[in-house]
Amino acid sequence: DRVRFDIFREKRTGFPEAVFAPGKSDEDIVNIVKAVGDVLVTRLPPDRAEGILKELGDIDRRIEYHETAGVLAARSGDPQFIGRIGLLSAGTSDIPVAEEARVVAEESGCEVINAYDVGVAGLHRLLDPLRRMHESGVKALIVVAGMEGALPSVVAGLVDVPVIGVPTSVGYGVGEGGSVALKSMLQSCSPGIGVVNIDNGFGAAVLAVKILRACSL
Amino acid sequence: DRVRFDIFREKRTGFPEAVFAPGKSDEDIVNIVKAVGDVLVTRLPPDRAEGILKELGDIDRRIEYHETAGVLAARSGDPQFIGRIGLLSAGTSDIPVAEEARVVAEESGCEVINAYDVGVAGLHRLLDPLRRMHESGVKALIVVAGMEGALPSVVAGLVDVPVIGVPTSVGYGVGEGGSVALKSMLQSCSPGIGVVNIDNGFGAAVLAVKILRACSL
Amino acid sequence: DRVRFDIFREKRTGFPEAVFAPGKSDEDIVNIVKAVGDVLVTRLPPDRAEGILKELGDIDRRIEYHETAGVLAARSGDPQFIGRIGLLSAGTSDIPVAEEARVVAEESGCEVINAYDVGVAGLHRLLDPLRRMHESGVKALIVVAGMEGALPSVVAGLVDVPVIGVPTSVGYGVGEGGSVALKSMLQSCSPGIGVVNIDNGFGAAVLAVKILRACSL
Amino acid sequence: DRVRFDIFREKRTGFPEAVFAPGKSDEDIVNIVKAVGDVLVTRLPPDRAEGILKELGDIDRRIEYHETAGVLAARSGDPQFIGRIGLLSAGTSDIPVAEEARVVAEESGCEVINAYDVGVAGLHRLLDPLRRMHESGVKALIVVAGMEGALPSVVAGLVDVPVIGVPTSVGYGVGEGGSVALKSMLQSCSPGIGVVNIDNGFGAAVLAVKILRACSL
Amino acid sequence: DRVRFDIFREKRTGFPEAVFAPGKSDEDIVNIVKAVGDVLVTRLPPDRAEGILKELGDIDRRIEYHETAGVLAARSGDPQFIGRIGLLSAGTSDIPVAEEARVVAEESGCEVINAYDVGVAGLHRLLDPLRRMHESGVKALIVVAGMEGALPSVVAGLVDVPVIGVPTSVGYGVGEGGSVALKSMLQSCSPGIGVVNIDNGFGAAVLAVKILRACSL
Amino acid sequence: DRVRFDIFREKRTGFPEAVFAPGKSDEDIVNIVKAVGDVLVTRLPPDRAEGILKELGDIDRRIEYHETAGVLAARSGDPQFIGRIGLLSAGTSDIPVAEEARVVAEESGCEVINAYDVGVAGLHRLLDPLRRMHESGVKALIVVAGMEGALPSVVAGLVDVPVIGVPTSVGYGVGEGGSVALKSMLQSCSPGIGVVNIDNGFGAAVLAVKILRACSL
Amino acid sequence: DRVRFDIFREKRTGFPEAVFAPGKSDEDIVNIVKAVGDVLVTRLPPDRAEGILKELGDIDRRIEYHETAGVLAARSGDPQFIGRIGLLSAGTSDIPVAEEARVVAEESGCEVINAYDVGVAGLHRLLDPLRRMHESGVKALIVVAGMEGALPSVVAGLVDVPVIGVPTSVGYGVGEGGSVALKSMLQSCSPGIGVVNIDNGFGAAVLAVKILRACSL
Amino acid sequence: DRVRFDIFREKRTGFPEAVFAPGKSDEDIVNIVKAVGDVLVTRLPPDRAEGILKELGDIDRRIEYHETAGVLAARSGDPQFIGRIGLLSAGTSDIPVAEEARVVAEESGCEVINAYDVGVAGLHRLLDPLRRMHESGVKALIVVAGMEGALPSVVAGLVDVPVIGVPTSVGYGVGEGGSVALKSMLQSCSPGIGVVNIDNGFGAAVLAVKILRACSL
Ligand SMILES: Nc1ncnc2c1ncn2[C@@H]1O[C@H](COP(=O)(O)O)[C@@H](O)[C@H]1O
Ligand SMILES: Nc1ncnc2c1ncn2[C@@H]1O[C@H](COP(=O)(O)O)[C@@H](O)[C@H]1O
Ligand SMILES: Nc1ncnc2c1ncn2[C@@H]1O[C@H](COP(=O)(O)O)[C@@H](O)[C@H]1O
Ligand SMILES: Nc1ncnc2c1ncn2[C@@H]1O[C@H](COP(=O)(O)O)[C@@H](O)[C@H]1O
Ligand SMILES: [Mg+2]
Ligand SMILES: [Mg+2]
Ligand SMILES: [Mg+2]
Ligand SMILES: [Mg+2]
Ligand SMILES: [Mg+2]
Ligand SMILES: [Mg+2]
Ligand SMILES: [Mg+2]
Ligand SMILES: [Mg+2]
């Protein structure tokens, strides 16, 4: 009984319970998944997932593990469609963070239109995906970028919908750990980007979901 | 002709032209206001505003200067209603930043329901305003806080709609300049807060407006 | 004889000898415990504890190892009751630091009333424990929090007794290493929080003990 | 009506209303003092105090301005004696911060025994004052130090009562702004120092007062 | 005789003597200009320039003061043409830094093709100037940007010639002082940008000149 | 198909495709090398290289692995000579970074004249190599240095050609991670050094190559 | 009586009383000078010195004010010769800090041989002065440098005697405030440099004096 | 032949060749020791030392490995006595750094009088060792301290001879990595401490040796 659950949170903040795996034992995770109805376990590397999936073998819910995203979902039903969002990543190394956002958003009822490795060093790769997203009627864009984190600035200069910037820890030298990408997004010359913590694909998805839900209030 | 205007921005990014006054001369400001149709001048202190208003005396548009906000608006018409948002400030010293957000949001067609000085040191002050905002059907909340910047965390734990966190430079010692408030919001235990730069009431309003507009797509 | 002991410290500063395990060999620890009368060894992980306990097998004192806290106590008698304190943690990941504080305080004669995982993202969890602590007559509250470290601010806004803030290194991105939690507590809008170093449950307990002892001067 | 008062705070957190002058106009201050019963205005420089005192000329309460401390007190009665504390400053430049602590503590009912300019570069100056404080039965020591902030470490190695460390912004080069003093106190080799923000004499006094009050619970 | 001149530097490092005005008195400047043959005085604000120009009234050399650049040039002849470079600025506030680069480069024999206020928030403004520079045969591009400093990344993704990135101190909040722009350029996903210090238009020009001279070795 | 290639980059930015190995699996690398014509894989440690070389055993291109540099080159032909550059390293620990620059530059057609371990603690070692480089007609100098990073300053005070400064992460204590070397180069008293990110030998080579190519425009 | 004097310090630590003027009123300074026998007042700008000198007009001691150094000396006799030191500054802007060191050293009995503006951007200026100092038998060298602070490294690679590094706050951009120069000296590839705080010419002189005195023990 | 030796250094800077082991292979070390006459290898952990000693088994010089210090000395003769120094460490964890200083100083001809674990939390431990050192006629004191690094301040307030401060990386939370100890020493209220880099026992010994040698000039 070391862990209390925020069981009213879905109703209260518009989101299913999410459990951050680091700092919890495999046993903790198994217990939580068994105890809670709908739950997402994030930051779960493949080696840990394997054992946990075995332990959960006979549980009576849909269990899915998304490897690149590092997310395990245990759901009693399928999420209800709430709308569409776009999802961009600047580099290939940013994909795991983008995938965390994708899985969390999809498990919350979003349809996600994504385009990866479309960073600012080659702008010609960016325009087609943006057009496609625009035509699909996305109501928010999640833009994931490490290094100098310039992609959200460029995107927010081209589109109308809210842009959520997710800095990643991809980089080296002065960019190590993601602080350059983070600060670039906060200090963007394109106003109105909502920024989340470094590598926080989860938080970006939550914000996008809240936007979609608010739209249907 | 030192300045080029982003004239297509309102159509392209959902927002009228906004001019950042610091680093521009009064003469620059006057020329810009005369040249552009609908424009907001931000970070304009009262002493500068006085002279500029005189120069603009005979211009054929609605001119309004909001002192606490430091915003001058020159508009040819009134903005069209696009929806409601809530606006909270933790302390009284955060009010100028909150007011910047309010004026910019209102000039973009938002109705703003605000409550100031409702920070976490006295939580009893917070619940009534939140309830009132909820009942008005706000689709986003802007939460402005300096010092330790904890208010967005608390608010996002209580509401469903997207929360936009605006850290302010209010604080001293380790909190000087606003970096503690900023990082608290990014590192919140309440997921899904979209954070903007320190003192960036303007950017928060732009994001809120984009959310409201996306909802009516 | 590489180590000198501060043998008068208990009398002089109100506390038994405490030994910080990192940077000392297991052999060093065993020798110290054998040489000193009443001693606490802190930051001792289970794998190291196992071997050391074996070596100390026949020592003529009460030996207890607290796993979550990482504290080994070797005491010739039981501590004398000196008063009650409250102990709160914001998240489940902060529990090891809180437990270090609990064990150290209890070994110094405090009765500790604790409540874990009661952070600001769900304020409804906080009020009951606080009331219970208040009714037990606690003379100080230790509040342990990582991430944005907002819990001490909220607690200090609700209670009369001294609050000791313990930031933890729980967090990621901008919060990594605990500096955001630390600075939030120092820069709190609730005045009068005494802050200790990141993850320093030990120091928080020492301060609480000094307060209780001062009260009985 | 730009300012709401935390009128229940004295009862709730053991302290009269305190107003931080920076960021408020003289007029704001005058209005607050008139509206609130017992109030302390802090960080009020002499030039501002002069005008404010004039405006308050005929108010029916004891009004006192402490110049070095920068504190104005408006009280309807005298504080009730709650106990004794010691107050040390390392250098002469730290005196304004120490004085802020002294005035706030005295206005809350503490008797304060102080010794200034007794820093670690000349330890012979320190022992007599400490002995004197000890004999007076102080229940807490506030130790104010800038530069390398070593005094609280030395003092906490010599006494039994709780030590509250107040780093000051006195210093230059790497010590500019007080961060070296702050971190020295947090990272002290003498455990159990409760640290407050840089230059926060006010917060140190509040913590000392809370300790004294807890002792009489 | 407080100042020694690096008289062989033009021959040795390919550049005329340059004097950094801050920290020198007007009298110092006048003496230096009189003593040295070809000299550029940089970071000289208009109010200082006025007095100095008067003092130099009858000197027998071409004297020119460039106000926006803050550069005073005292030359005995005209520089010899050494080639063409391009010069871009992201915003209007970056223009003074860009102008410092322009004047220094022109006084060293460069022909400079410039385009200002062509930042990444509106990419449509960028392509025409780049094409024009390309067609003029520029051998290096100086790209000046503050805020998130993304322009050099975008430009270096589009062109073949060496790009010199000049971060400026334009920005606020996390971007204050220019460190975000600086680090963005160093951590660019477009490889091969040569970065100079914040606001160092002078250094960028020197590097461009060295490149042009090397080409004619 | 997780990776898109910037196939036009060689034509567009004057450089063959380069792949950064960290964060990519060995399988990813093998696939990329097979798919792309001319490619350099950087930051590839010997243990990874071994396996990858085996997998590529029968590929129909020149494959070379440079161990100290950590660079694997897969080229269909030999690069065409484009000019000469000089390459200096301050210490022996800086050699891997220098070698990355050397291999990348040579694979792009540069002839590289190098001298390693010629740092400022023994200036007598520096002059001969510099003279030799000068006589060979180098058009740019790459200067690699860790610790206090002073070598580019000294070199740029002695030569005419453009100097590219590469700070390395060699150092400890305050110099750990390379930030001291980086900032020394940016803040050099010798103007006109183009600085790249910490340990970025690759970027330095790219810049040198762009300079040589621009010279032949 | 706000100030206690460390009257035994000259005997105890080998140095006359020194008073740091910032943070003390002119009246404080006058009182101290009158009360103490031999005293140096440092960081005293010319405008403050003027008034203070007037107040001290009839004091019965040698009074000297050194303007560039900002040091006022009030001495009852002349210092006794204790030996020779060398003093170098890298730039002209570093001279005030160097002069503070010079005056303090001379007032303590050192003969000082100095050479200013001999920084690493032009090494040819350095060798003659060093030779001259060597021949005079200096027992320590004080080397003052701002910007990238490389001069102590170069000097310590050329001489046998102890080198004392004094970083200055001269610089801009990343070097602003002197932290780059400071860290360069601490992280020097020439071992054995004793570093003092930024702009601390005073401390450097004290260390040099202690060395000379130790030599005559 | 990857390594060049600074063979004239002993004559030129008063010190035998010293080799920093990290970043060099065991083979590199063996070759260097064989090639150079008198050499010290520093930062060599026991596991590496074992293999290297085997390889050097038949070399015709005195070979000694100091385990706690991590220093291997290969000397053809014994150093010549040059004088006495004192050596203090604040804690037991600082001993490895102190030992590095001791071995290097002794191998250079110093007689070293040491006292370890005499930090400021228990000042009673400090006075006897200091007296003993004083009576032995030491000409310099090396003071090693981690955590808050206050010991050099206290010592320099009590003695006449030059104090060399060596901050260590011992600490945690805000003190992690040693930067608090470093800055405390630089910002000491006791003037004239010569500070070296974090954990740089080697550099401190070099400085002490230079002082002793200068004394015998
Ligand atoms: N991948 C993630 N990134 C950031 N925050 C997360 C992530 N997954 C879960 N969380 C947050 O962390 C909280 C759970 O923390 P815990 O109770 O320690 O499992 C959840 O309520 C989420 O708000
Ligand atoms: N867990 C802990 N956290 C912080 N400080 C500690 C801890 N345990 C022991 N200490 C302090 O570290 C000192 C012991 O250091 P040492 O002599 O190296 O064992 C003790 O006197 C305590 O003040
Ligand atoms: N605007 C500038 N920005 C950066 N460095 C400059 C500037 N102007 C001059 N310098 C450099 O500063 C040196 C002059 O410093 P000083 O001898 O103090 O005048 C010159 O040799 C230039 O290298
Ligand atoms: N060693 C290196 N250092 C810095 N940047 C590199 C290095 N190697 C490759 N790059 C850059 O990183 C990009 C490749 O990133 P990716 O697409 O993730 O392989 C290339 O286009 C290069 O610009
Ligand atoms: Mg890519
Ligand atoms: Mg308030
Ligand atoms: Mg929880
Ligand atoms: Mg004093
Ligand atoms: Mg613009
Ligand atoms: Mg070497
Ligand atoms: Mg100069
Ligand atoms: Mg100890």
Side-chain angles (χ1 to χ4, degrees), chain C residues 135-203:
Chain C
E135 286 163 11
S136 314
V138 302
K139 293 213 152 122
L141 280 180
I142 296 175
V143 184
V144 183
M147 309 290 279
E148 81 274 62
L151 189 58
S153 288
V154 169
V155 168
L158 297 168
V159 303
D160 271 346
V161 295
V163 169
I164 300 167
V166 189
T168 72
S169 53
V170 171
Y172 67 91
V174 298
E176 201 177 331
S179 73
V180 174
L182 170 69
K183 290 181 180 166
S184 281
M185 295 179 192
L186 287 166
Q187 175 56 108
S188 172
C189 56
S190 300
I193 299 172
V195 183
V196 296
N197 201 355
I198 296 163
D199 290 337
N200 194 358
F202 171 75

Side-chain angles (χ1 to χ4, degrees), chain H residues 1 5 25-36 56:
Chain H
D1 61 6
F5 301 110
S25 69
D26 288 6
E27 206 191 319
D28 282 343
I29 303 289
V30 168
N31 289 339
I32 291 171
V33 173
K34 285 186 173 159
V36 191
L56 293 172

Side-chain angles (χ1 to χ4, degrees), chain A residues 11-14 138-139 156-157 159-162 182 186-187 191-197 202-203 206-207 210-211 214-215 217, chain B residues 11-14 139 156-157 159-162 182 186-187 191-197 202-203 206-207 210-211 214-215 217:
Chain A
K11 217 176 103 252
R12 217 179 54 248
T13 70
V138 301
K139 293 214 153 122
V159 302
D160 271 344
V161 294
L182 170 69
L186 287 166
Q187 174 57 107
I193 299 171
V195 183
V196 297
N197 201 355
F202 171 74
V206 173
L207 179 52
K210 287 188 176 180
I211 292 173
C215 288
L217 282 184
Chain B
K11 217 176 102 251
R12 218 180 51 248
T13 71
K139 293 214 153 122
V159 302
D160 271 346
V161 294
L182 169 69
L186 287 166
Q187 175 56 105
I193 299 170
V195 183
V196 297
N197 202 355
F202 172 73
V206 172
L207 180 52
K210 287 188 176 179
I211 291 174
C215 287
L217 282 184

Side-chain angles (χ1 to χ4, degrees), chain H residues 45-105:
Chain H
D47 53 329
R48 294 191 61 186
E50 201 177 352
I52 289 170
L53 285 169
K54 241 178 239 159
E55 289 298 316
L56 293 172
D58 51 356
I59 203 176
D60 182 27
R61 265 177 283 159
R62 168 170 66 85
I63 303 274
E64 234 166 313
Y65 175 64
H66 305 266
E67 186 171 327
T68 310
V71 176
L72 184 151
R75 307 296 301 266
S76 36
D78 280 328
Q80 205 181 325
F81 175 74
I82 60 169
R84 275 190 201 88
I85 64 170
L87 172 62
L88 300 157
S89 95
T92 54
S93 311
D94 305 318
I95 291 177
V97 176
E99 283 289 290
E100 187 187 62
R102 187 184 60 76
V103 171
V104 171

Side-chain angles (χ1 to χ4, degrees), chain E residues 146-191:
Chain E
M147 308 290 279
E148 81 274 60
L151 189 57
S153 288
V154 168
V155 168
L158 297 168
V159 302
D160 271 345
V161 295
V163 169
I164 300 167
V166 190
T168 72
S169 54
V170 171
Y172 67 92
V174 299
E176 200 177 333
S179 73
V180 174
L182 170 69
K183 290 180 179 167
S184 280
M185 295 179 192
L186 287 166
Q187 174 57 104
S188 172
C189 57
S190 300

Side-chain angles (χ1 to χ4, degrees), chain C residues 12-14 139 157 160 195 214-215, chain D residues 12-14 139 157 160 195 214-215:
Chain C
R12 218 179 53 247
T13 70
K139 293 213 152 122
D160 271 346
V195 183
C215 287
Chain D
R12 219 180 52 247
T13 70
K139 293 214 153 123
D160 272 346
V195 184
C215 287

Side-chain angles (χ1 to χ4, degrees), chain A:
Chain A
D1 61 8
R2 246 186 66 198
V3 184
R4 294 183 190 202
F5 300 110
D6 308 319
I7 40 176
F8 301 119
R9 186 175 286 171
E10 180 161 18
K11 217 176 103 252
R12 217 179 54 248
T13 70
F15 210 76
E17 178 76 9
V19 170
F20 193 65
K24 301 200 176 64
S25 69
D26 287 6
E27 206 192 318
D28 282 343
I29 303 289
V30 169
N31 289 340
I32 291 171
V33 173
K34 286 185 175 160
V36 191
D38 274 19
V39 69
L40 301 177
V41 183
T42 64
R43 302 279 169 104
L44 192 69
D47 53 329
R48 293 192 63 185
E50 202 178 350
I52 288 170
L53 285 170
K54 244 179 238 156
E55 288 298 317
L56 292 173
D58 51 354
I59 203 177
D60 183 28
R61 266 177 281 158
R62 168 170 65 84
I63 303 275
E64 232 166 316
Y65 175 65
H66 304 266
E67 185 169 326
T68 310
V71 177
L72 183 152
R75 308 296 300 265
S76 37
D78 279 329
Q80 204 180 325
F81 176 74
I82 58 170
R84 273 189 204 90
I85 64 169
L87 172 61
L88 300 157
S89 95
T92 55
S93 311
D94 304 318
I95 291 176
V97 175
E99 283 289 290
E100 187 186 62
R102 187 185 58 76
V103 172
V104 171
E106 289 181 354
E107 288 289 346
S108 307
C110 295
E111 193 178 309
V112 180
I113 300 168
N114 69 321
Y116 295 160
D117 193 25
V118 296
V120 301
L123 285 176
H124 54 291
R125 302 173 298 187
L126 177 63
L127 299 182
D128 274 358
L130 272 186
R131 212 164 293 132
R132 185 161 42 93
M133 291 170 190
H134 178 64
E135 287 163 10
S136 314
V138 301
K139 293 214 153 122
L141 281 180
I142 295 175
V143 184
V144 182
M147 307 291 278
E148 81 273 61
L151 189 58
S153 288
V154 168
V155 168
L158 296 168
V159 302
D160 271 344
V161 294
V163 169
I164 301 167
V166 189
T168 73
S169 53
V170 171
Y172 66 92
V174 298
E176 202 177 330
S179 74
V180 174
L182 170 69
K183 291 180 180 168
S184 280
M185 295 179 193
L186 287 166
Q187 174 57 107
S188 172
C189 57
S190 299
I193 299 171
V195 183
V196 297
N197 201 355
I198 297 163
D199 290 338
N200 195 358
F202 171 74
V206 173
L207 179 52
V209 168
K210 287 188 176 180
I211 292 173
L212 289 184
R213 293 201 177 186
C215 288
S216 65
L217 282 184

Side-chain angles (χ1 to χ4, degrees), chain D residues 8 12-13 42 44 60-61 64 82 85 96 101 103 109 112-113 123 135 139 143-145 150 157 173:
Chain D
F8 301 119
R12 219 180 52 247
T13 70
T42 64
L44 191 69
D60 182 27
R61 266 178 282 159
E64 232 165 317
I82 58 167
I85 63 169
V103 172
V112 180
I113 300 169
L123 286 177
E135 287 164 8
K139 293 214 153 123
V143 184
V144 182

